Amino acid sequence: MVRLSPLPRQRSIITGNYLPVPRPPAQETVVLCPVCRGKMQRTDEECPNCHAVRHFGPTQRETILSVLIGVVSAPALSLLIIRPSFWTAVIAVAGLLAGFYVAHSRHTSDRWLRNPR
């Protein structure tokens, strides 16, 4: 049988003050893993079933790939407009920074990645 009304407050025998009312334990929230749809708690950083991990931001591989694309494509496009010079190196550095920025702006939210075990 479930009791809907709160327990009566009790007074301490020694001080006469009211004793704190014990609260029921917080209910654990169960969510589904976005990778395997297994049950897990909301605060888990790793799925107990498929071992997928929560990851924020780009992985090292994604960052390196974006930087390499920026370093190669920016000077290649500039060579179509101007002849090779000091500015080609400056544009390569700008392409490197642009690739880094694209990698970090593209993967800004947290996501679940499979753990290759």
Side-chain angles (χ1 to χ4, degrees):
M1 185 156 100
V2 177
R3 172 178 239 166
L4 298 176
S5 62
L7 295 172
R9 295 182 69 181
Q10 298 177 350
R11 288 186 178 257
S12 170
I13 297 173
I14 299 172
T15 62
N17 296 335
Y18 285 106
L19 296 173
V21 178
R23 296 184 181 189
Q27 294 179 352
E28 299 295 327
T29 305
V30 177
V31 295
L32 298 179
C33 172
V35 177
C36 70
R37 301 290 182 213
K39 291 181 181 178
M40 58 184 274
Q41 293 183 9
R42 182 177 300 276
T43 57
D44 284 345
E45 295 292 324
E46 181 177 346
C47 176
N49 302 319
C50 67
H51 301 290
V53 292
R54 184 185 307 224
H55 187 77
F56 184 81
T59 61
Q60 185 177 6
R61 183 179 183 186
E62 293 164 345
T63 303
I64 291 171
L65 181 65
S66 294
V67 165
L68 286 177
I69 290 173
V71 164
V72 171
S73 64
L77 291 175
S78 74
L79 288 176
L80 295 174
I81 300 170
I82 60 173
R83 61 190 166 113
S85 66
F86 168 74
W87 291 106
T88 307
V90 172
I91 292 174
V93 171
L96 180 136
L97 295 174
F100 185 80
Y101 175 74
V102 166
H104 282 78
S105 63
R106 184 176 178 201
H107 304 288
T108 55
S109 63
D110 62 339
R111 55 201 170 127
W112 288 87
L113 301 176
R114 290 186 189 272
N115 195 355
R117 284 189 186 180

